[in-house]
Amino acid sequence: MFRIKDEVYWVGVKDWELRKFHGEEYSTHRGSSYNSYLIKDEKIALVDTVWSPFQQSFIKELDQEIGLDRVSLLVINHTEQDHAGSLGFLMENIPKLPIYCTKNGATIIKKHFHKDWDFHIVKTGDSIDLGRNKLVFVELPMLHWPDSMATFVSGANVLLSNDAFGQHYAAPYMFNDLVDQGELYQEAIKYFANILTPFTKILRAKIKEIKNMNLPIEMIAPSHGIIWRENPLQILEKYDQWANDYHEGTAVVLYDTMWGATKKMAGAIAQGLENKGIGTKVINIGRSDRNDLITDVFKAKGIVVGSSTINKGILSDTAAVLEIIKGLQFKGKIGGAFGSYGWSGESVKIIENRLTESGIEVVPGGIKLLWDPTNEELSQCEAYGELIGERIKESLV
Ligand code: FEO
């Protein structure tokens, strides 16, 4: 436990060893943390818990530090297991503890734990007086679950934002001004790209709403990673940018290859893009971390995807990445497709269809080549890269 500001304390857990989150879906190269907070006022409020593998140590430490019987109420900002996972064990120890959460939060808790605890449903603007501080609730539906909300500690002026503004990042220090800025921003943008991209429209409206509430935010304390202490609104401004069809004017050429022909095509297409002044990253899908790759897709304006044809389809790693891209529904991106084949050659059409379904504008002229490309055919690939580069440049005007 340590004080983050005034009477607000961090009582969470750093998970140094975590390498995958959401099952096997999200890579966490730098671990993570589950940030639970305690407001030690006349009434003592606990905000969120930690993932269940840490429940014993979490509750033991809470008991040693303040005594479980002194906790007056629990706020559950979000019911996902990484924050509400210790709820069952906590309630075994304090069965009558009042739980404050959204309507959807109560529904989900009941479906997870099959208990009818002392629920108190809260909405945006509702508040609880703790003595010197007040908890003010701000619903954040679909950021990123229907139950999500944030709690503003009025008095200490700390926004406990839950997943929003967080990062899967276990760091030696817990404040933004004390950690490596490159690592911090890489983890923050990766989190946004992979988890929040489908909800950008809702996020834009919510950022406006939060700004209009004129909360005197002096610190933003999310439920993962470091706490924004120095210039805390910088992450709100970043979210505002990231939620507005963000790109850095670059392109990615994503490819998967069996014997190197599609790889040669990828190189030629990248050359074409660069001929037009579009900075391009070439990524072997099968050899890359999918969530890092998605972060690169998020930053790019152009997304060109290539796969060999296999069994009338595309290679399995490419299929998986296209499935993720479809789910995330990026806005304002421009794409293309290519691939080598031996006899049937379906891959380019499949990729073009998947990109279109994903809301990506496909530049016509996707290239499929039989067996290994000749120099002339590689020149065609380069020309296709130039065509996509031109379209990207037009779109940037
Ligand atoms: Fe960190 Fe949506 O849970």
Side-chain angles (χ1 to χ4, degrees), residues 228-335:
W228 302 89
R229 171 173 78 172
E230 188 180 87
N231 182 16
L233 297 185
Q234 66 180 287
I235 191 62
L236 195 70
E237 295 307 321
K238 276 287 170 199
Y239 265 47
D240 215 356
Q241 283 176 23
W242 294 340
N244 277 284
D245 305 348
Y246 183 75
H247 67 82
E248 297 176 1
T250 53
V252 285
V253 176
L254 313 174
Y255 74 93
D256 208 349
T257 192
M258 293 173 75
W259 292 105
T262 302
K263 179 178 179 174
K264 288 178 189 169
M265 297 174 75
I269 290 169
Q271 183 60 56
L273 283 155
E274 290 192 348
N275 293 348
K276 294 294 174 183
I278 307 296
T280 301
K281 200 162 178 176
V282 181
I283 300 175
N284 181 320
I285 296 171
R287 292 186 179 171
S288 301
D289 177 277
R290 282 179 196 163
N291 308 106
D292 293 340
L293 179 155
I294 289 295
T295 311
D296 285 321
V297 169
F298 178 69
K299 292 177 182 175
K301 181 72 177 173
I303 318 293
V304 195
V305 182
S307 169
S308 327
T309 293
I310 183 168
N311 299 332
K312 300 185 180 174
I314 56 177
L315 294 173
S316 59
D317 285 323
T318 308
V321 160
L322 287 172
E323 181 66 14
I324 298 172
I325 289 174
K326 181 170 161 242
L328 292 174
Q329 290 287 311
F330 294 104
K331 300 287 183 296
K333 306 228 185 259
I334 293 165

Side-chain angles (χ1 to χ4, degrees), residues 41-74:
D41 203 330
E42 287 165 23
K43 284 185 188 167
I44 296 180
L46 178 66
V47 178
D48 293 322
T49 71
V50 300
W51 190 27
S52 54
F54 300 94
Q55 62 187 12
Q56 303 258 2
S57 57
F58 169 68
I59 286 164
K60 190 174 164 198
E61 190 179 342
L62 206 56
D63 197 24
Q64 283 170 351
E65 294 280 353
I66 50 146
L68 289 180
D69 55 350
R70 292 185 59 219
V71 180
S72 312
L73 62 105
L74 171 67

